[in-house]
Amino acid sequence: MPAVDETAAQDAVAPMEAAAPAPAAPERNSLQAERPDVFLSYSRADQAFARALAAALEARGKNVWADWEDIEPSAVWWQRIERGIDSATAFAVVISPDQLASETCLRELDSATSGNKRIVPILRRRDEGMQLPPALADLNWILAEADADFEAAVDRVNEALDTDLAWRDLHARLLVRAREWAGGERNASFLLRGRDLDAAEAWRDEQGSHNEAATALQLEYVAASRAATTRRQRLVIGALALGLMVAAALAGVALLERSQAIGRARVAQSREYAASSLSLVGSNPALAVAVARAAEEVTHTPEATAALRTALAAAYPSVSIPAVGAGVTDAAVDRHGGILVTGSTDGIVRVWIVHPLRLIRSLGSRRAADDPLQVVYVAVSANGRYVAWSRHGVVRVWDRRTGRPVFTAKPRDPFDNYPRRVELSPGGDLVASAAAGGWDPLEVWDWRRRRVRRLGGNVLGFAFDPSGRRIAAASHGGLVRTWSVPDGRPLVSFQAEGFGGLEDVAYGRGGYLATAGSSGVQIWPPHFRTGQTILRSLDATTVDFSGDGSRLVVGESSGVADVVRTSSGQVAATLRTGQGNVLQARLSADGRAVVTVGGDGTAREWKQTSPFVATLPDGAVAVAPDAPVAAVAEASGDVSLWGTRTGRALRVLRDPRLSRSRPAGEADTGNVTFAARGGELVASTVAGVRVWDWRRGRSLASSPVVAESSWFDPAGDTIFSSEWVDYRRVWSWHWRSGKPPELLPESDWGVGPTESAPDMTTSVGGDGGRVTVRRGGRIVASLPGEGAAVFSPDGRYVLVIGQAARVWDWRSGKVVATLPTRTRLLDATFAGSDVVATLDGEGTASAGIALRLWDWRTGEVVAELEVGPGSNGLLSDGAGQIVVTGAPNALYRCEVCVPPPTLLRLADERFPAPLTRAERALYLHQP
């Protein structure tokens, strides 16, 4: 091979700084400096052609690196050749048999290939059987043989060198810099910075669209340059950050103190609003909901949540009853609050299904255009079947089911078209009417027999007693009269003491009578000797008892209706019906549905959600921990499954071993228990113990142990059973293994069934009357207590039931709440994470039992209701579904036993109206 011009080689590999751009073009970086366009590789036999090619390329503006002089091969010489190849943007090789036989030419080709150089193959001479290396065999050659057009060949070489020139130029420059860095022991002074680094990274990111890929050394060089730059930036930023941290620390202390002060102020404000809400619960629960919601909006506090729960439990959400283009004049509701009847000024009587509100029938004919406006009065029987209404003095009774009239009574005087009030007896077979002005006699029709009895006149309001055998009427001057309906015989007349004009009367359970007038409301016992005034200093326009006699609704001339507890005279709720007098207010049997008609023609149905869901069969009860399902072990030995949200029967699990011919009253079943995880339950019967897949209704395993009670271990793999005859004999059964049960020594099973939470169990009783909390078999807490113990739904707290209900934080061993009892605590459980249900009473068949719901974080009683006198225990799924066990078993739903976010959504859905400006000023002290 010809010797290499040392000076030319040295120029080709001069440092990049020497070829740096002139100061006049500062935007160019050192990677864009001038470099050879092509390294020309050839054999000495083709030197003449190579010189002619180089000259032709230089004439076309190309910078050609070639070794024209002979240089003896040496290490230094080869380093210069390599640097020449690296610095050139392309590698042109003159192919001939001599070139392929030259070790130096092949070594140059390997160097160009390893550097991912663009190779331009130029075929000068060829022989038959000429073997080409892979680097040349796969490329398109430029033919430059002796008989070829030389200028055309040079043009093709020049064109190949111009293709992707910018990319190859940077490729060459980076390869030189990278090898300098590698040869300099990777010294940081060789690394790229600033614009050089940006250009190199841009070149690297574009390599996928070019033929010459970056070498591993180039990629490593660019990555090292970026890492060094990042380290320098971090050092600078760190120094700045240190200075800023000192300043920020001082500012942070001030901000923290300010934030804490603001937080304390918000907590105090939220608590103040919560107290204001609780003061409104008795008089205006809907307004109390809005104020409690404002307390939660300021900031979340336990007091705000408790106030919101209490207000929602007491409030009556309402829905407007459409008058369909006319004003409502009267309304009536059946015993169950499911059927609503309205009369309107257009002369049409409309019958509605209440939940959801839906019109099901229209009765009568529309008032003619020249017909004077009339007040239409309506009534409905207790069972909802019959509807009575009056218009133009004519009284009609319709069968709601068929939509047909069954009775019509016209006035005796054909010119008497004055509106007449109507009432139906509870059975619907009697209809009473009297002129609204109060001068005509009270008429009672037995419409089936077409018989009428005319009683005394001067009648304003009147009502049947629950039996339908008596009727009472209020008159001007405060006089109240009663009659026997079957024979029309007057019974008792008395004067309402201290009352002027009476407007209405209502019979309640047990023969009690309520009177309403301009001076208030009185309740009279059956003997009518002395009335108890429960509301005074109000102008009462209408009154009605709930079916159980526990509540009254009183309409007032001020446009409000009060729901009153008859036992104490306390106002449970104030319903704002609209403008003008309350013309009508009616209660459902349970006292939780109210229908009101205002003097402005607006009618509303108010519904307080009933907590009662259903009555369950007698027997031991269990509640599934992970599904809304309750299981009842009935006396027959069957296990019935019930939906706790709907109260509907889901499935019956029947043990085929049980006899169906046992004597009546003899129980076959002990208890039933759900596994803490999974879908299994175990039932204990006189036929043995059986494990069920309750979701599929399939029996999984059975044991012959006659057990009174059985329970799962926390993992659900082992069942413990205490014998029916001797409860101290306990059997252990690994039911999944198929092995028979084993009798345990008393010391091995301890105190009995355990209450479990995720990864934890409690044992109640034991030595010294302690409640122990175990995790993984290890005791992690020991609390004083001798009653039952229940985990909270999140497992953070333990409710210990003794003489009082105490909530323990088992991690700290501290009592966080003590819930007192008024008589005797029968049982308690968590109805939600923040709500505890307690059963308080004597536990006898005659004494009343109170179910109370406590917000245990504040000690507030959220709601209270009376349950069956035979009630003796509580169960809950921790999500608001409560089972009161005893005689009978009853299922209740607590809609307010939910977390605060769900509670707020419930308040927004039922009471969306915001506080008025005047209310915000009065209760929130906002201008």
Side-chain angles (χ1 to χ4, degrees):
M1 177 152 188
V4 176
D5 185 344
E6 182 174 345
T7 303
Q10 187 173 2
D11 289 342
V13 295
M16 287 189 178
E17 290 77 2
E27 70 278 0
R28 287 176 61 88
N29 56 58
S30 62
L31 292 180
Q32 296 170 317
E34 293 295 331
R35 286 295 174 192
D37 295 308
V38 61
F39 180 97
L40 187 58
S41 175
Y42 65 97
S43 72
R44 292 182 63 187
D46 300 314
Q47 187 176 40
F49 171 79
R51 283 184 179 276
L53 178 62
L57 290 174
E58 287 175 349
R60 287 169 171 77
K62 294 295 183 288
N63 185 0
V64 181
W65 200 105
D67 53 339
W68 305 121
E69 298 180 5
D70 291 336
I71 301 176
E72 290 296 329
S74 66
V76 175
W77 163 79
W78 179 248
Q79 288 179 2
R80 291 176 179 175
I81 293 295
E82 276 196 324
R83 293 186 66 182
I85 295 172
D86 291 345
S87 63
T89 59
F91 180 86
V93 54
V94 179
I95 302 173
S96 68
D98 298 286
Q99 182 266 339
L100 296 175
S102 170
E103 181 180 349
T104 300
C105 288
L106 294 178
R107 191 176 178 187
E108 290 173 346
L109 179 61
D110 289 341
S111 179
T113 303
S114 65
N116 288 342
K117 290 292 182 177
R118 168 166 289 191
I119 298 175
V120 182
I122 306 167
L123 179 63
R124 179 58 180 170
R125 290 182 291 115
R126 73 174 85 187
D127 282 343
E128 292 296 333
M130 188 170 58
Q131 297 293 325
L132 295 174
L136 296 177
D138 298 333
L139 300 177
N140 292 324
W141 304 339
I142 297 174
L143 300 180
E145 295 175 291
D147 57 349
D149 185 344
F150 177 76
E151 290 299 325
V154 173
D155 288 340
R156 292 186 62 194
V157 172
N158 187 61
E159 182 182 354
L161 296 178
D162 286 339
T163 303
D164 221 359
L165 184 59
W167 165 265
R168 290 186 286 107
D169 186 61
L170 278 174
H171 188 288
R173 282 146 180 74
L174 272 176
L175 187 60
V176 171
R177 294 286 293 267
R179 285 183 172 169
E180 286 179 347
W181 170 67
E185 298 181 352
R186 286 174 164 74
N187 191 289
S189 62
F190 290 97
L191 296 174
L192 302 172
R193 298 183 183 182
R195 292 180 179 176
D196 285 355
L197 178 57
D198 293 339
E201 289 179 325
W203 170 87
R204 176 199 61 194
D205 296 340
E206 296 175 3
Q207 63 177 314
S209 59
H210 300 273
N211 293 329
E212 296 79 15
T215 65
L217 179 62
Q218 286 173 314
L219 296 177
E220 183 184 1
Y221 178 58
V222 174
S225 298
R226 174 54 64 191
T229 298
T230 302
R231 283 194 298 270
R232 287 193 300 273
Q233 291 174 345
R234 287 176 179 173
L235 288 174
V236 174
I237 294 173
L240 293 174
L242 182 61
L244 291 174
M245 285 175 60
V246 176
L250 298 176
V253 172
L255 287 174
L256 179 61
E257 292 179 352
R258 181 176 181 274
S259 177
Q260 290 176 343
I262 293 174
R264 288 191 294 269
R266 287 181 175 175
V267 168
Q269 188 178 41
S270 177
R271 289 173 175 170
E272 179 186 356
Y273 291 173
S276 181
S277 171
L278 289 174
S279 69
L280 291 167
V281 169
S283 59
N284 194 340
L287 180 58
V289 170
V291 175
R293 184 167 51 203
E296 281 282 6
E297 290 171 354
V298 171
T299 190
H300 169 68
T301 58
E303 291 80 6
T305 301
L308 188 57
R309 280 200 177 96
T310 305
L312 280 172
Y316 285 72
S318 67
V319 59
S320 178
I321 301 171
V324 194
V328 177
T329 60
D330 196 14
V333 64
D334 73 339
R335 180 194 305 116
H336 302 292
I339 299 296
L340 170 68
V341 180
T342 59
S344 304
T345 56
D346 62 356
I348 300 297
V349 176
R350 295 176 174 87
V351 184
W352 310 78
I353 294 291
V354 175
H355 297 293
L357 189 66
R358 177 168 55 91
L359 181 65
I360 59 173
R361 193 175 293 279
S362 296
L363 308 176
S365 58
R366 190 172 297 275
R367 177 176 61 88
D370 58 349
D371 194 5
L373 186 68
Q374 288 287 329
V375 176
V376 177
Y377 288 97
V378 297
V380 63
S381 60
N383 61 7
R385 177 169 182 177
Y386 296 103
V387 174
W389 56 289
S390 72
R391 175 184 170 191
H392 293 313
V394 178
V395 176
R396 295 177 173 85
V397 179
W398 288 64
D399 187 327
R400 179 184 64 83
R401 296 178 183 175
T402 64
R404 296 178 180 177
V406 295
F407 175 73
T408 300
K410 296 181 179 180
R412 289 176 295 172
D413 185 351
F415 297 101
D416 181 8
N417 60 358
Y418 202 80
R420 300 181 68 85
R421 293 186 175 182
V422 292
E423 290 289 344
L424 278 169
S425 63
D429 54 341
L430 302 174
V431 58
S433 69
W439 53 81
D440 279 356
L442 174 63
E443 294 182 344
V444 180
W445 287 85
D446 182 339
W447 59 265
R448 297 180 189 275
R449 301 176 182 178
R450 299 300 193 269
R451 296 178 182 177
V452 62
R453 291 193 181 279
R454 293 181 174 87
L455 309 178
N458 191 24
V459 173
L460 294 176
F462 49 92
F464 286 99
D465 75 342
S467 69
R469 299 181 61 82
R470 294 183 182 184
I471 192 168
S475 305
H476 293 291
L479 179 66
V480 179
R481 291 170 291 175
T482 62
W483 293 269
S484 170
V485 173
D487 55 14
R489 178 171 49 89
L491 297 177
V492 177
S493 298
F494 62 92
Q495 190 75 30
E497 298 177 5
F499 281 67
L502 292 179
E503 294 290 339
D504 202 7
V505 294
Y507 264 110
R509 189 176 183 180
Y512 283 83
L513 185 72
T515 59
S518 58
S519 298
V521 176
Q522 284 184 312
I523 295 180
W524 299 81
H527 53 71
F528 303 123
R529 293 193 184 100
T530 303
Q532 176 190 3
T533 302
I534 60 171
L535 290 177
R536 190 179 289 277
S537 301
L538 58 83
D539 188 3
T541 57
T542 182
V543 65
D544 190 31
F545 269 105
S546 63
D548 58 6
S550 63
R551 298 189 181 194
L552 275 176
V553 61
V554 179
E556 303 174 18
S557 60
S558 61
V560 301
D562 291 323
V563 180
V564 185
R565 295 187 178 94
T566 55
S567 59
S568 62
Q570 180 184 2
V571 176
T574 297
L575 314 177
R576 304 190 180 278
T577 65
Q579 299 178 351
N581 295 348
V582 177
L583 302 180
Q584 189 65 277
R586 289 292 179 258
L587 269 172
S588 63
D590 60 2
R592 296 185 177 276
V594 181
V595 175
T596 61
V597 179
D600 55 0
T602 59
R604 301 190 72 83
E605 193 261 345
W606 312 73
K607 181 69 175 179
Q608 186 185 45
T609 304
S610 173
F612 177 77
V613 177
T615 299
L616 301 180
D618 291 342
V621 185
V623 177
D626 56 354
V629 174
V632 181
E634 300 185 31
S636 63
D638 294 339
V639 176
S640 57
L641 301 177
W642 300 78
T644 56
R645 294 174 183 169
T646 63
R648 296 176 181 174
L650 303 177
R651 175 174 287 147
V652 175
L653 307 177
R654 184 159 293 163
D655 192 333
R657 300 173 301 180
L658 288 171
S659 170
R660 298 297 157 191
S661 59
R662 296 184 63 82
E666 186 173 346
D668 282 341
T669 305
N671 80 324
V672 62
T673 307
F674 285 93
R677 299 177 181 85
E680 298 89 21
L681 66 79
V682 57
S684 303
T685 69
V686 294
V689 177
R690 184 171 291 274
V691 183
W692 296 89
D693 179 342
W694 61 266
R695 299 181 190 274
R696 297 178 176 84
R698 184 163 53 93
S699 175
L700 300 178
S702 62
S703 159
V705 175
V706 178
E708 180 184 22
S709 63
S710 298
W711 60 95
F712 288 96
D713 72 337
D717 298 326
T718 304
I719 294 175
F720 299 98
S721 302
S722 61
E723 288 188 6
W724 195 291
V725 177
D726 186 355
Y727 72 90
R728 293 171 298 181
R729 289 169 55 86
V730 176
W731 295 77
S732 172
W733 179 30
H734 299 282
W735 65 274
R736 298 184 191 274
S737 67
K739 297 179 180 179
E742 298 178 355
L743 183 63
L744 296 179
E746 184 175 346
S747 60
D748 286 353
W749 65 273
V751 296
T754 60
E755 177 74 19
S756 64
D759 302 322
M760 293 177 291
T761 61
T762 62
S763 294
V764 184
D767 295 335
R770 307 287 295 182
V771 174
T772 58
V773 180
R774 291 178 172 85
R775 171 176 284 170
R778 183 173 59 89
I779 295 178
V780 294
S782 179
L783 313 172
E786 297 183 353
V790 183
F791 274 108
S792 63
D794 58 8
R796 290 190 57 189
Y797 303 96
V798 173
L799 176 65
V800 179
I801 306 151
Q803 294 182 349
R806 292 181 173 85
V807 181
W808 291 79
D809 183 337
W810 63 266
R811 292 179 177 86
S812 64
K814 295 180 180 179
V815 176
V816 294
T818 299
L819 310 177
T821 179
R822 297 177 186 174
T823 52
R824 185 165 68 91
L825 182 65
L826 302 178
D827 202 0
T829 189
F830 280 102
S833 295
D834 302 327
V835 180
V836 167
T838 62
L839 204 59
D840 189 354
E842 294 296 335
T844 63
S846 58
I849 306 294
L851 172 62
R852 295 189 181 91
L853 300 174
W854 303 74
D855 187 306
W856 63 262
R857 297 183 187 276
T858 62
E860 292 287 342
V861 176
V862 174
E864 179 178 341
L865 65 150
E866 187 173 334
V867 296
S871 303
N872 54 31
L874 289 174
L875 296 169
S876 177
D877 62 355
Q881 311 301 323
I882 303 170
V883 176
V884 178
T885 62
N889 295 318
L891 180 62
Y892 293 85
R893 179 191 302 111
C894 174
E895 289 194 336
V896 298
C897 297
V898 291
T902 309
L903 204 63
L904 280 170
R905 286 197 297 272
L906 185 64
D908 292 339
E909 291 171 2
R910 294 188 175 177
F911 300 94
L915 291 170
T916 65
R917 186 173 182 178
E919 290 168 341
R920 297 186 75 88
L922 181 61
Y923 300 109
L924 307 184
H925 311 296
Q926 294 180 359

